[in-house]
Amino acid sequence: MKIKHEASERHVLTITVDNEAGILAKIAGLFTARGYNIDSLTVADITENHAVSRITIVTHGPPAVIDQIHAQLDRLVPVHKVVDLTESGAHVERELALVKVKGTGDARVEALRLAEVFRASVIDTTTSSFIFELTGAPDKIDRFVSLMRELGLVEVGRTGVVGMMRGAEAA
C-alpha cells in the first residue's frame, strides 16, 4: 500500500468576525481539533464601533485541507466572511519585527550597514546592542534575521502577517 503525500501550500486567510469574547478561541480550536497548524495569526478591531474584527491566518496544507478549513470557518456563526488571499489573486503582505542584536566593533558597524540596506530603523541602542524595527514581506524579515544571527542576534519579536487584496475593491 502506497501512501500519497499531497504538496503543502502556504495560504493567507482573512476572516471578518463579530468582535466578541471567545471568537478567537473558537477559530483556534477549529484548527487544533483537526490537527491544522497556524503559522501566523493577527487580530485587530476594524470598525469605529468596535463591532467587527479582522483575523489574518497563515497556514499550510494541501488544497483539499485548505478548502475544508475555508468551509468550516464559513460555518461558524460569528464569521461574516472568509477570503483566501492566496487564491483571490494579487495581494500585499506585511509584517513588523523587532530584532535585538548585540555587538561591538566591526560586528556593530556591519549590523548598522545591513539595517540601512534593509531599511530597518534603530529604535533603541546601548553601547553593546541595538533594537531594530523592520517592516516588510515575511521573506525580507527572514533574510534580515538570518544575517543578524551571524552578527550577534539576541532576540526577535514578530507581529505576524497582515494581508490585503490589491486594487480599489474590498476583499
Side-chain angles (χ1 to χ4, degrees):
M1 175 180 199
K2 292 185 179 181
I3 298 174
K4 184 179 176 185
H5 293 282
E6 293 185 71
S8 183
E9 300 173 349
R10 178 182 179 272
H11 285 260
V12 180
L13 307 174
T14 62
I15 308 151
T16 308
V17 298
D18 288 338
N19 189 6
E20 61 183 42
I23 183 58
L24 185 57
K26 279 184 185 179
I27 290 173
L30 181 147
F31 277 77
T32 302
R34 289 154 183 84
Y36 307 147
N37 191 38
I38 295 175
D39 298 329
S40 171
L41 173 74
T42 59
V43 184
D45 174 18
I46 60 170
T47 56
E48 280 186 49
N49 64 359
H50 309 291
V52 178
S53 289
R54 179 179 171 133
I55 300 171
T56 305
I57 294 176
V58 178
T59 189
H60 281 81
V65 168
I66 300 300
D67 290 343
Q68 185 179 27
I69 289 169
H70 193 289
Q72 290 170 344
L73 287 169
D74 266 334
R75 279 188 234 133
L76 292 176
V77 173
V79 171
H80 297 271
K81 187 176 184 182
V82 179
V83 176
D84 184 343
L85 295 179
T86 308
E87 296 284 324
S88 297
H91 65 280
V92 176
E93 294 178 27
R94 289 294 178 267
E95 187 174 1
L96 169 90
L98 297 179
V99 180
K100 186 187 293 185
V101 179
K102 67 179 178 180
T104 57
D106 289 344
R108 186 173 178 85
V109 172
E110 183 64 6
L112 281 172
R113 188 190 69 75
L114 285 170
E116 188 176 329
V117 169
F118 279 82
R119 296 184 182 152
S121 300
V122 176
I123 60 168
D124 186 66
T125 186
T126 68
T127 58
S128 61
S129 69
F130 292 108
I131 297 179
F132 297 107
E133 177 184 74
L134 177 67
T135 59
D139 61 330
K140 174 186 175 182
I141 293 173
D142 291 342
R143 286 191 313 269
F144 183 75
V145 169
S146 177
L147 290 169
M148 289 300 141
R149 257 190 191 82
E150 298 173 28
L151 297 174
L153 181 72
V154 174
E155 187 176 3
V156 177
R158 295 175 76 156
T159 60
V161 172
V162 175
M164 193 171 284
M165 293 300 302
R166 296 184 65 117
E169 301 298 316

